[in-house]
Amino acid sequence: MSSACYILGVSREKGAGRGRSYHQYCGVARALDVVGERWTLLIIRDLLLGPRRYKDLLEGLPGIGTNLLADRLRELETRGIIRRTVLPPPAGSTVYELTQLGEALGPAVFELGLWGARTLGLPKDDDQVPTAAVFVAMRVMFKPEKAAGINEAYELHVDGHVFEVRVEDGQVLTREGLAHAPAATFTLDGRTLLALLREGLDPKTALAARRVQGNADSLERFVSFFAKTPEVANTPT
Amino acid sequence: MSSACYILGVSREKGAGRGRSYHQYCGVARALDVVGERWTLLIIRDLLLGPRRYKDLLEGLPGIGTNLLADRLRELETRGIIRRTVLPPPAGSTVYELTQLGEALGPAVFELGLWGARTLGLPKDDDQVPTAAVFVAMRVMFKPEKAAGINEAYELHVDGHVFEVRVEDGQVLTREGLAHAPAATFTLDGRTLLALLREGLDPKTALAARRVQGNADSLERFVSFFAKTPEVANTPT
DNA sequence: CGGAATCCTCTTCGATACTG
DNA sequence: CAGTATCGAAGAGGATTCCG
């Protein structure tokens, strides 16, 4: 809250427009006014995979603190970036999902992810490996030329969650949930998925080590759709 | 700083790796660990136009506070994103500039800017209009098809600063500084530049109103290279 | 004068405890 | 399950001072 607000005598404590603003007429500054606070873009990242309950978000964002998540969700809702929905019975749970404006943040999230991936290295011991993040990353690792003419869905069971990866018209769609008519189903854990996609773990080896359950040919094909993210050395200049 | 640090008894007060981390193995989270703090991406934005002195940055980021800027610059330098350089005599001033790793943040900054521009509307009364931000925005507003076969530089004098806009091979380069062999030179203020680029102010009108000094044909051509950013309604869904 | 370090106040964060 | 309440710790912002 800038000093200008005090000068105008506006307290604005509970109204719209909470949080600090840069007060710059600039797209970047405006974007950061809205989604630049801590945790916000990670919430968006998780919602890019589809609607999620409060608890799912808490689990995917260890350390956020429940009050902060509530704050962020409230703010994002008033900004028109997410929407609160109650699922139809029998589920009946309330979920949060991106609006069209929220979906439009996808490219910015992907570019940040691409940049961050350069310096990722290997997972540190105290690093969480959020499964949702891996499925978001798959959207930018996808190589359309490797999937030419292929229209298939895959269902992945990872650490107790189910994800759909749908390859269609040279595009890939990833979301959390059961796949529609999957061509193959794989069961594996997050580290193994990461090893297959990033570290070049050979699918056959992974299957032989029982780190994956599923069809060998399908798995090999599936893995081939995605680029191993090149490790760019962090050389100053 | 997460609780894990306390558990490990690590205070880490002055060492490397300052600031909070999300401790997630994810490109987005990693990027935000490094450039997600307040002001950081706006510093990067300004540096995208070329090397700048401490004081220039302070001016372009009203409200940052001198200690915070120093903190951010130090952090960015240790992370290999910017570099401190001393200009050769007679200038002799120390400047900050992006490393290759820092330049690679460009696409992420542009995407954030594009998203933020949707909800920019018109400048509010207490909005600063940072000239540097306009020249950064020009990079994403540029329409290569309108500049086919054109190789020219323009020099713009805006509010006491000089910028070069170089159109070359269907690309545009914007930076602060004198232009090399400019095809035309324009003198105008920031609001007018914004009006020409965003609000569709007619170049002839602007010239007639003496809001711009320069050659009419050149100005008309110059303006035609850039798309008026479409105002996207902020409709939830 | 440019480039910071220091001090002080205020806000935000993060963890836990608690409630509908 | 979906949040609110609370409180100590860290971060932000402004003014001032220091240094070369």
Side-chain angles (χ1 to χ4, degrees):
Chain A
M1 201 153 314
S2 93
S3 58
C5 304
Y6 290 119
I7 290 168
L8 293 169
V10 179
S11 111
R12 227 175 26 162
E13 266 311 303
K14 284 293 177 192
R18 304 248 337 285
R20 287 181 219 274
S21 165
Y22 292 107
H23 294 295
Q24 290 197 354
Y25 187 77
C26 158
V28 183
R30 176 60 52 97
L32 293 173
D33 281 348
V34 178
V35 296
E37 285 177 305
R38 196 162 159 73
W39 295 109
T40 304
L41 278 175
L42 293 186
I43 295 172
I44 305 289
R45 177 201 68 187
D46 281 4
L47 291 178
L48 283 170
L49 287 181
R52 304 183 94 77
R53 290 171 304 170
Y54 191 87
K55 197 191 179 205
D56 300 328
L57 290 168
L58 265 186
E59 276 173 14
L61 303 167
I64 190 178
T66 169
N67 57 343
L68 212 41
L69 177 57
D71 279 357
R72 295 290 184 266
L73 291 173
R74 209 182 351 256
E75 177 80 6
L76 287 171
E77 193 183 358
T78 70
R79 300 269 192 183
I81 292 162
I82 67 173
R83 189 194 303 123
R84 249 171 134 259
T85 312
V86 179
L87 292 183
S93 45
T94 55
V95 292
Y96 297 88
E97 63 185 335
L98 293 176
T99 63
Q100 205 181 337
L101 183 60
E103 290 281 355
L105 275 165
V109 173
F110 297 146
E111 286 296 339
L112 277 171
L114 275 173
W115 185 84
R118 304 179 157 226
T119 61
L120 261 186
L122 291 174
K124 299 196 182 61
D125 288 345
D126 62 343
D127 277 353
Q128 313 274 343
V129 181
T131 309
V134 180
F135 282 90
V136 170
M138 286 167 66
R139 295 199 194 172
V140 295
M141 299 167 70
F142 184 69
K143 296 180 292 185
E145 71 275 14
K146 299 282 183 152
I150 290 179
N151 278 325
E152 295 187 331
Y154 301 84
E155 187 170 289
L156 280 80
H157 295 245
V158 184
D159 299 330
H161 291 256
V162 183
F163 297 87
E164 176 183 32
V165 177
R166 177 166 291 275
V167 177
E168 213 168 69
D169 306 325
Q171 293 198 298
V172 71
L173 264 157
T174 56
R175 45 173 288 277
E176 178 153 11
L178 295 167
H180 176 70
T185 298
F186 310 119
T187 303
L188 68 174
D189 65 22
R191 297 264 166 170
T192 303
L193 178 59
L194 213 54
L196 286 168
L197 293 176
R198 260 188 84 89
E199 297 155 34
L201 170 64
D202 181 52
K204 283 195 184 66
T205 312
L207 282 160
R210 305 220 163 240
R211 295 179 61 182
V212 190
Q213 276 87 56
N215 175 271
D217 290 343
S218 299
L219 182 62
E220 202 135 8
R221 185 138 58 104
F222 175 79
V223 168
S224 75
F225 296 151
F226 302 96
K228 320 278 170 276
T229 310
E231 212 55 59
V232 179
N234 180 357
T235 50
T237 298
Chain B
M1 202 155 311
S2 92
S3 60
C5 305
Y6 290 118
I7 292 169
L8 294 169
V10 179
S11 108
R12 223 172 32 162
E13 266 310 302
K14 284 293 176 193
R18 306 243 339 283
R20 293 179 215 272
S21 166
Y22 292 108
H23 294 294
Q24 290 198 354
Y25 188 78
C26 158
V28 182
R30 176 61 51 96
L32 294 174
D33 281 348
V34 178
V35 296
E37 284 176 305
R38 193 161 162 74
W39 295 107
T40 304
L41 277 175
L42 293 186
I43 296 171
I44 305 288
R45 177 200 69 188
D46 280 3
L47 290 179
L48 283 170
L49 287 182
R52 303 184 95 77
R53 290 171 306 169
Y54 189 87
K55 197 190 177 204
D56 301 328
L57 291 168
L58 264 186
E59 276 173 14
L61 303 168
I64 191 179
T66 168
N67 55 344
L68 212 39
L69 177 56
D71 279 357
R72 295 290 184 268
L73 290 173
R74 201 173 317 117
E75 178 79 7
L76 287 171
E77 193 183 358
T78 68
R79 300 268 193 182
I81 293 162
I82 66 173
R83 188 194 304 123
R84 252 171 133 260
T85 312
V86 179
L87 292 184
S93 44
T94 57
V95 292
Y96 298 88
E97 63 185 336
L98 294 176
T99 62
Q100 205 180 336
L101 183 61
E103 290 281 354
L105 275 165
V109 173
F110 298 146
E111 286 297 339
L112 276 171
L114 275 173
W115 185 84
R118 303 179 157 225
T119 62
L120 260 187
L122 290 174
K124 298 193 182 63
D125 288 344
D126 61 344
D127 277 353
Q128 314 273 343
V129 180
T131 309
V134 180
F135 282 89
V136 171
M138 286 166 66
R139 295 200 193 170
V140 295
M141 299 166 70
F142 183 70
K143 296 179 293 186
E145 69 276 15
K146 300 282 182 150
I150 290 180
N151 279 325
E152 293 187 333
Y154 301 85
E155 187 170 289
L156 280 80
H157 296 244
V158 184
D159 299 329
H161 291 257
V162 184
F163 296 87
E164 176 183 32
V165 177
R166 177 167 290 277
V167 177
E168 213 168 68
D169 306 325
Q171 291 198 300
V172 69
L173 265 158
T174 57
R175 44 174 289 277
E176 179 153 10
L178 295 167
H180 176 69
T185 299
F186 310 119
T187 304
L188 69 174
D189 65 21
R191 296 264 166 170
T192 303
L193 178 59
L194 213 56
L196 285 168
L197 293 176
R198 261 188 85 89
E199 297 155 33
L201 170 63
D202 181 52
K204 283 196 185 64
T205 311
L207 282 159
R210 305 218 164 240
R211 295 179 63 183
V212 191
Q213 276 89 56
N215 175 270
D217 289 344
S218 299
L219 182 61
E220 203 135 8
R221 185 137 58 102
F222 175 80
V223 169
S224 74
F225 296 151
F226 304 96
K228 320 279 170 277
T229 311
E231 212 55 60
V232 179
N234 180 355
T235 50
T237 298

